[in-house]
Amino acid sequence: FLVSTLLVPLLAGLWWKRSTELGAILAILSGAITFIIAFFIIGVPTFSEVFCSVPVAIIFQVVGSFLSAPPSAETIKMVEGWHTES
């Protein structure tokens, strides 16, 4: 469940400059809902729910990020600072 909800927003927030809060929220919600549907309602084989929910979370992360305003230059600079040597 944690992979389905947190993997995509975490990686997008760290490595994709266009990632936004709306995209992360939508990715978390869509990943969680898809996991719950696959696990409890459809009953897919064990661990297969992750393979269903992560692509859905990626789609919602991208769509949500493009529907909202891009991050400020200050935010992008701060994130880039995490990837440079001190």
Side-chain angles (χ1 to χ4, degrees):
F1 184 76
L2 290 174
V3 169
S4 299
T5 57
L6 300 177
L7 178 71
V8 172
L10 175 69
L11 293 179
L14 287 173
W15 296 103
W16 187 36
K17 292 180 185 178
R18 186 62 176 85
S19 180
T20 64
E21 183 179 349
L22 177 62
I25 291 169
L26 291 178
I28 290 169
L29 292 175
S30 65
I33 291 168
T34 305
F35 181 93
I36 290 168
I37 290 170
F39 187 79
F40 292 109
I41 297 173
I42 298 173
V44 297
T46 306
F47 299 115
S48 297
E49 56 275 341
V50 174
F51 298 118
C52 300
S53 58
V54 169
V56 172
I58 291 170
I59 291 168
F60 276 85
Q61 174 76 46
V62 171
V63 170
S65 292
F66 281 116
L67 287 177
S68 58
S72 66
E74 179 182 312
T75 302
I76 292 173
K77 185 176 179 180
M78 178 183 65
V79 173
E80 286 177 345
W82 298 341
H83 302 289
T84 59
E85 293 184 30
S86 299

